[in-house]
Every structure is written in structure tokens, then in C-alpha cells.
Amino acid sequence: MQRFEENSPINDNATGSATSFEEGQFCETTRRVVIVSPFPASIRSLFVALTIRCYDVLLFHQEQDPVLLSMNSDLIIVDRTRTVPADKSASIPGNHRSMLLLHGEGEDSETQGKEVLLWPCPIEAALAKIEELVSSNDSLQPMEGNDQLRFKDIVVDLKRIIVLKAGMKIELTRTEFDLLKGLLLKGGGVMTRQEIMEFVWGENYFGGSNSVDVHIKSLRQKLGDAPKNPKYIVTVRGIGYRIAD
């Protein structure tokens, strides 16, 4: 195992100013970045810098690792700075946002249309690029085959009828699942209580709108959402609900 000194600056294999640990810094939120590198020592500075910035960083050595297919992450960074040409045929999971690390003038026809970062480079520049890619993933987006919806750290699998939060399965009732699905499909727009009732129970449902509030309360509890400071579901007074910004 490689050891990093707690108060040592980060400046190996990357150019520019070093970044130091800030003692006592608390990570309130975190995102997951997966790094695939057969030579992890060469990107040690990037690994540590991401950890300091409150990213959960997981390291894999091979792009062919089957675990990557089921791994829930905000970004996969694939290190191809020193790989042999034959390795370029390795596949990256298609339902993940990915970025390639290339050395020098490493771009070619196989990398066209893909996010690329030339390495080594200044740490702050690398972090800015990664933050841009991860932030663009925070908004709601259909995933591969339109079988999944993603919002922040929540993934709704429409085919298997399951919900994952930060990679962990959340047990929801079918009503709660449909309620969350409807809000996500609305794309941030407000759903009135009437619209929610019709989406979840059908147009012929004649129950009271308070049923919606009861199920929203239960859904929030299971997602760990606070009504006064919502991360996922916002109440629009007198109208209904929407997904948080």
C-alpha cells in the first residue's frame, strides 16, 4: 500500500502550484470518481487532490474488470498515458460519464468525441475539468437505453424497478417508486397533486390529495430528505411538488 504524508503538498507528476490538506475540513457531500490505471503511482497527485475535494475515489487497475459494469459513479477516469496500443480496444461502461487521460499529443481518431485530459497538467486545471463533467451529471438525465433515470446520487432503474442512492438499494413501495419516477420525468417542473394522483393511480382515482402528501413524507424519509432543507423533493405550497434544484 502506498502511503501519503498527511501534511505534504501534492505536486508529483503534475505541474503548477501544490495543494495542501486543510485540517478539520468536513465533507458534507461527496461524489464518486472511479480511476482506472495500470500505473497508479503516476497519477498519485490527482488521486489525493480529488480525495481532499471530498470525492470518493475508487481505483481499478484494468478496464476489463467486470465490477466496473455495475459500479455506480459520477465519472470514470481512464488512464491511457502509458498503455500499449492494444489496450485501447478495452471498453468503458457505456452508462457512465467517462474521461480519458492521455499523454502529450495522444489524441487520435479513436478518441474523437470523447472527453480528454492531457496529463500531466496543473492539478487545478484537472480538478476544474473533472468538476465540470461531474456537475453536468448532477442534472436529471436518461441513461443507456432510457431504462434508467438519474438525479444527483439517485438512480432509478425503470426496467428492474429498483432505486439506488449512492450505490445502495433503497426499499420503496411501488407507489413510492412511481411517485419518484413521475417527479423525475417532469424534469424539475412542478407536478400538481392532481397530476401526481393521475400519474400514480390513474385518471379514475377518486381518493383525497392528502394521500399524495402521506406518500411524499414516506418517500422523503427513505431518501433521507429534509423538508425544510430539501435535497431531492421540494414542496410548492398550494400546488404540489417538484425535484429540487
Side-chain angles (χ1 to χ4, degrees):
M1 182 187 303
Q2 187 129 25
R3 181 178 177 182
F4 302 102
E5 297 298 328
E6 183 176 5
N7 294 311
S8 62
I10 305 167
N11 197 26
D12 80 359
N13 289 327
T15 59
S17 59
T19 305
S20 300
F21 284 90
E22 296 182 12
E23 293 188 14
Q25 183 178 1
F26 176 73
C27 296
E28 295 183 357
T29 60
T30 185
R31 293 158 170 166
R32 176 176 291 173
V33 170
V34 173
I35 296 179
V36 184
S37 175
F39 307 100
S42 66
I43 55 172
R44 175 175 68 175
S45 55
L46 181 62
F47 184 97
V48 179
L50 287 169
T51 303
I52 293 173
R53 293 291 185 94
C54 293
Y55 286 90
D56 283 336
V57 186
L58 302 180
L59 178 64
F60 290 80
H61 296 293
Q62 301 295 331
E63 293 180 45
Q64 299 91 342
D65 195 314
V67 177
L68 285 171
L69 295 175
S70 58
M71 179 66 62
N72 180 37
S73 65
D74 294 284
L75 181 68
I76 294 181
I77 300 174
V78 181
D79 176 14
R80 291 184 180 168
T81 57
R82 297 170 59 188
T83 51
V84 296
D87 287 344
K88 288 188 177 182
S89 62
S91 60
I92 303 171
N95 62 336
H96 290 76
R97 191 70 181 268
S98 62
M99 179 179 74
L100 303 180
L101 287 184
L102 301 178
H103 180 72
E105 300 299 324
E107 297 183 73
D108 54 31
S109 59
E110 295 186 40
T111 65
Q112 290 180 359
K114 299 179 181 179
E115 298 290 347
V116 170
L117 178 69
L118 298 183
W119 183 265
C121 72
I123 282 293
E124 290 303 322
L127 292 174
K129 177 70 172 180
I130 292 169
E131 179 67 24
E132 175 187 350
L133 294 176
V134 170
S135 296
S136 67
N137 250 1
D138 280 345
S139 59
L140 175 64
Q141 55 178 318
M143 297 177 71
E144 185 178 13
N146 294 321
D147 287 334
Q148 293 183 334
L149 296 172
R150 179 170 182 161
F151 179 68
K152 299 185 177 179
D153 59 349
I154 293 177
V155 175
V156 177
D157 191 316
L158 304 177
K159 188 173 183 179
R160 295 186 295 163
I161 317 297
I162 61 173
V163 174
L164 303 176
K165 178 185 176 184
M168 302 297 293
K169 185 177 180 181
I170 304 296
E171 295 294 343
L172 299 182
T173 66
R174 183 55 192 257
T175 296
E176 292 163 351
F177 179 90
D178 289 341
L179 179 54
L180 179 59
K181 173 184 172 182
L183 291 171
L184 293 178
L185 289 175
K186 193 70 172 181
V190 178
M191 286 191 79
T192 67
R193 287 175 173 82
Q194 183 63 36
E195 287 175 330
I196 292 174
M197 288 189 292
E198 292 178 0
F199 182 86
V200 174
W201 294 291
E203 296 181 358
N204 296 324
Y205 178 74
F206 295 104
S209 62
N210 62 322
S211 297
V212 173
D213 301 327
V214 171
H215 289 290
I216 284 284
K217 180 179 180 181
S218 178
L219 178 58
R220 278 171 165 163
Q221 290 175 342
K222 292 181 179 181
L223 295 178
D225 203 14
K228 294 184 178 180
N229 186 27
K231 180 180 179 181
Y232 304 112
I233 302 173
V234 172
T235 301
V236 182
R237 292 186 177 277
I239 302 176
Y241 300 92
R242 66 173 175 83
I243 291 299
D245 295 328

